[in-house]
Amino acid sequence: NYPVVDKLIAACEFKNIDVSICITKKDLVTEEELEEHLRIYENIYPTVSVNGITGEGIYDLMDIIRGKNVALAGPSGVGKSTIINHITGEFSAETGSISERTGRGRHTTRHVEIFCLPDGTNVYDTPGFTSLDLPEVEITEVRKAFPEFRKLNLMCKYSDCIHINEPECAVKHALSEGKI
């Protein structure tokens, strides 16, 4: 769900929180679909994909988060608790099965739990959500939440360009050329 992911990323950017992208349940998509999802973010943020069933990708994720305080955040049922179980090796975080009706994960985490690892990593398992509101910001400030826009913002005709209807917008031009 790109709008939810992008809102979460923007909220982190506004609050100066480092972002990493972990695509879960890679076993549910084709290799081509997975590559497309990773391609969107991989040149902007550290990215990794994880298979919750086999644990494939967990070591790559650990390389990204080692020694940090990390909150796993995302919609309900995406596999945050499953990742915690692989990381800790304890399988103490409650997980649910895939819904036969919707084909999606089910909400199981109801509180924040902190898992402290021997290497100094602290991982926060958080409840999922179905929607997310951004912090209140002026419309001209939203563009600052997207790192791929930063250099382009300086190339727009107008210094307060919001990349919607303005002429000579470098962001819209880069988008039309598939560069972002």
Side-chain angles (χ1 to χ4, degrees), residues 59-78:
Y59 292 118
D60 295 331
L61 177 61
M62 285 303 301
D63 287 342
I64 293 171
I65 68 172
R66 187 169 286 111
K68 299 178 182 175
N69 293 312
V70 178
L72 299 182
S76 297
V78 297

Side-chain angles (χ1 to χ4, degrees), residues 90-147:
E90 296 177 10
F91 298 94
S92 56
E94 181 184 355
T95 61
S97 59
I98 301 289
S99 166
E100 287 185 26
R101 184 176 62 81
T102 65
R104 295 168 45 191
R106 301 176 193 194
H107 171 79
T108 55
T109 304
R110 290 166 184 77
H111 61 282
V112 175
E113 189 168 354
I114 303 170
F115 295 86
C116 302
L117 305 180
D119 66 1
T121 305
N122 296 310
V123 184
Y124 301 71
D125 190 11
T126 65
F129 50 83
T130 54
S131 64
L132 179 69
D133 293 327
L134 284 173
E136 283 197 34
V137 295
E138 294 295 322
I139 193 166
T140 55
E141 298 295 304
V142 173
R143 66 199 189 117
K144 294 178 181 176
F146 297 91

Side-chain angles (χ1 to χ4, degrees), residues 16-113:
N16 292 315
I17 297 170
D18 293 337
V19 173
S20 297
I21 304 292
C22 179
I23 296 176
T24 60
K25 303 185 182 186
K26 68 188 262 179
D27 52 302
L28 300 180
V29 296
T30 66
E31 191 65 34
E32 293 78 25
E33 290 171 314
L34 178 61
E35 287 175 16
E36 175 63 22
H37 296 315
L38 289 169
R39 185 189 63 76
I40 291 170
Y41 299 104
E42 68 186 353
N43 291 324
I44 306 166
Y45 300 106
T47 59
V48 65
S49 61
V50 171
N51 180 327
I53 296 170
T54 66
E56 177 188 357
I58 290 296
Y59 292 118
D60 295 331
L61 177 61
M62 285 303 301
D63 287 342
I64 293 171
I65 68 172
R66 187 169 286 111
K68 299 178 182 175
N69 293 312
V70 178
L72 299 182
S76 297
V78 297
K80 297 179 297 291
S81 296
T82 298
I83 288 173
I84 292 283
N85 286 336
H86 280 290
I87 289 172
T88 63
E90 296 177 10
F91 298 94
S92 56
E94 181 184 355
T95 61
S97 59
I98 301 289
S99 166
E100 287 185 26
R101 184 176 62 81
T102 65
R104 295 168 45 191
R106 301 176 193 194
H107 171 79
T108 55
T109 304
R110 290 166 184 77
H111 61 282
V112 175
E113 189 168 354

Side-chain angles (χ1 to χ4, degrees), residues 4-18:
V4 171
V5 172
D6 289 341
K7 281 183 182 181
L8 184 56
I9 290 170
C12 289
E13 288 284 344
F14 285 126
K15 298 294 184 180
N16 292 315
I17 297 170
D18 293 337

Side-chain angles (χ1 to χ4, degrees), residues 139-143 149 158 160-166 169:
I139 193 166
T140 55
E141 298 295 304
V142 173
R143 66 199 189 117
F149 292 4
Y158 300 103
D160 63 349
C161 185
I162 57 174
H163 319 307
I164 296 176
N165 296 316
E166 298 86 353
C169 171

